[in-house]
Amino acid sequence: MKTIFVVGAGFMGSGIAQVCAQSGYEVFLMDVNQQALDRALEGIRWSVGKFSTKGFIKEPPEIVVQRIVTATNLEKSAAADWVIEAAIEDEALKLKIFRELDQLAPVHTPLATNTSSIPITRIARVTKNPNRVLGLHFFGPVPFMGLVEVIKGEKTSSEIFDLGVDFVQSLGKKPVKVRKDIPGFVMNRIFSAAFKECVELVNEGIVSPEDIDLGMRLGYGWNVGPFEIADNAGLDTFVRVGESMRALGEEHLVVTSDLLQSMVQEGRLGKKTGRGFYRYTQDGKKRKD
Ligand SMILES: NC(=O)c1ccc[n+]([C@@H]2O[C@H](COP(=O)([O-])OP(=O)(O)OC[C@H]3O[C@@H](n4cnc5c(N)ncnc54)[C@H](O)[C@@H]3O)[C@@H](O)[C@H]2O)c1
């Protein structure tokens, strides 16, 4: 069975590790922070248990979870058939990780990044073989969302791009194929444009986040409102992605008010801290009070 090496065990990395294990892959889940690894494994155990109770997975949950082995450095990427990087959205950090992965991972192994904003070509540039670098942009929460953007950098080979499409399908997800490498790719650019307007409308006191979410659900058929999406994703990640988009010259897609920054400074990061635009119970349900 093939082995997937996932870098970063936060919201996205833990979800990616879970769906890979559920699809029968052996997984190394790596993070520099042992607490993040412990939290990720605990969350995965809980989530796989729920999936099993609901009959969404056929295997015993412990078999699925046993496929995931944790690591605190990149060395085991030497045994990987796929590498997926999902560390924080920080270009310098991602470049450092890819420089190391390029040395460690076998030459045939595709190196994917889950970046939300940074062009694949910029990341691939630090590797000796940019042909094998591509974007696999998962959506969160990964175990529930059916979409992955597959992004072709300027130098990504057609073979690696096609392998990416096949790999995404092997996880039970549908690929959106992005054939030209631009900051924020496709889905994030569209969401960012909408979310920027949503935040400005709330910031000017015109409407509440609750009413925008209701409006987008009932008026436009979204399953989840934009503020619910932001709370799920983590407002700290939103701010980082915004900073990255600004640095890449895409200011027009970035929220201009400092509402998000001030929420992050107050520790209101979204679902993960129990409060963002909404308040949450300990098991992540929206509070009614
Ligand atoms: N949150 C979302 O909805 C979402 C959706 C799509 C893509 N992304 C992208 O996925 C990536 C991860 O986002 P997230 O929401 O999981 O963030 P997160 O903050 O939940 O997790 C990031 C993890 O990276 C770890 N990390 C930091 N430095 C590291 C290093 N040197 N090596 C390995 N791990 C390291 C951190 O300890 C943390 O556990 C980002 O690039 C983000 O833009 C996020």
Side-chain angles (χ1 to χ4, degrees):
M1 184 37 76
K2 292 199 162 161
T3 300
I4 318 298
F5 191 93
V6 180
V7 183
F11 178 58
M12 296 305 290
S14 62
I16 294 167
Q18 179 180 332
V19 297
C20 289
Q22 285 178 190
S23 304
Y25 293 105
E26 301 293 336
V27 180
F28 284 110
L29 177 58
M30 180 268 165
D31 203 292
V32 287
N33 180 342
Q34 184 61 48
Q35 272 181 334
L37 288 169
D38 296 343
R39 225 177 12 244
L41 271 190
E42 193 188 325
I44 291 169
R45 217 169 266 124
W46 179 84
S47 177
V48 171
K50 284 268 181 196
F51 271 61
S52 168
T53 311
K54 293 192 172 163
F56 297 152
I57 53 174
K58 304 278 170 280
E59 293 178 300
E62 57 278 12
I63 299 285
V64 173
V65 176
Q66 273 167 18
R67 293 200 182 106
I68 304 174
V69 174
T70 60
T72 51
N73 61 52
L74 297 175
E75 273 168 29
K76 286 286 197 296
S77 64
D81 299 289
W82 267 94
V83 174
I84 306 170
E85 173 276 319
I88 51 173
E89 192 77 349
D90 174 321
E91 184 167 340
L93 178 74
K94 288 190 192 290
L95 297 186
K96 178 172 175 288
I97 291 171
F98 271 80
R99 247 180 234 117
E100 282 181 47
L101 288 172
D102 191 41
Q103 301 286 323
L104 291 166
V107 283
H108 65 269
T109 298
L111 305 180
T113 172
N114 188 48
T115 175
S116 302
S117 60
I118 306 160
I120 309 309
T121 310
R122 288 171 75 100
I123 296 176
R125 213 174 277 151
V126 300
T127 67
K128 283 201 201 72
N129 178 7
N131 304 8
R132 63 163 164 167
V133 180
L134 77 165
L136 289 184
H137 183 219
F138 288 78
F139 283 68
V142 182
F144 294 99
M145 303 305 278
L147 172 69
V148 181
E149 278 178 292
V150 182
I151 304 134
K152 196 172 187 313
E154 276 169 26
K155 299 262 172 77
T156 311
S157 72
S158 301
E159 290 73 25
I160 292 288
F161 185 73
D162 292 346
L163 275 179
V165 168
D166 291 347
F167 176 60
V168 162
Q169 286 167 337
S170 78
L171 302 177
K173 312 273 184 208
K174 296 262 194 275
V176 161
K177 301 176 207 98
V178 182
R179 298 185 184 280
K180 204 166 173 191
D181 191 20
I182 54 171
F185 319 116
V186 173
M187 304 313 292
N188 261 0
R189 291 180 74 89
I190 296 170
F191 182 79
S192 300
F195 190 61
K196 177 181 163 78
E197 184 63 15
C198 293
V199 173
E200 302 311 333
L201 290 170
V202 167
N203 201 40
E204 285 166 30
I206 293 165
V207 65
S208 67
E210 290 83 350
D211 276 0
I212 287 195
D213 282 349
L214 182 73
M216 296 309 286
R217 279 199 302 272
L218 299 185
Y220 289 105
W222 288 29
N223 283 335
V224 187
F227 290 99
E228 294 164 328
I229 291 175
D231 268 5
N232 280 340
L235 302 185
D236 51 339
T237 300
F238 256 88
V239 168
R240 274 207 198 93
V241 172
E243 281 162 3
S244 171
M245 287 292 273
R246 187 172 288 123
L248 291 161
E250 305 289 336
E251 179 88 37
H252 64 293
L253 295 173
V254 182
V255 172
T256 39
S257 83
D258 57 6
L259 181 66
L260 293 183
Q261 275 98 334
S262 54
M263 289 175 75
V264 168
Q265 273 156 19
E266 284 169 37
R268 289 172 58 181
L269 308 186
K271 204 179 249 188
K272 61 184 162 189
T273 56
R275 190 161 180 215
F277 288 101
Y278 295 94
R279 290 174 184 272
Y280 299 89
T281 59
Q282 278 218 314
D283 57 355
K285 299 228 162 58
K286 240 199 241 168
R287 275 169 50 173
K288 305 263 186 260
D289 53 335

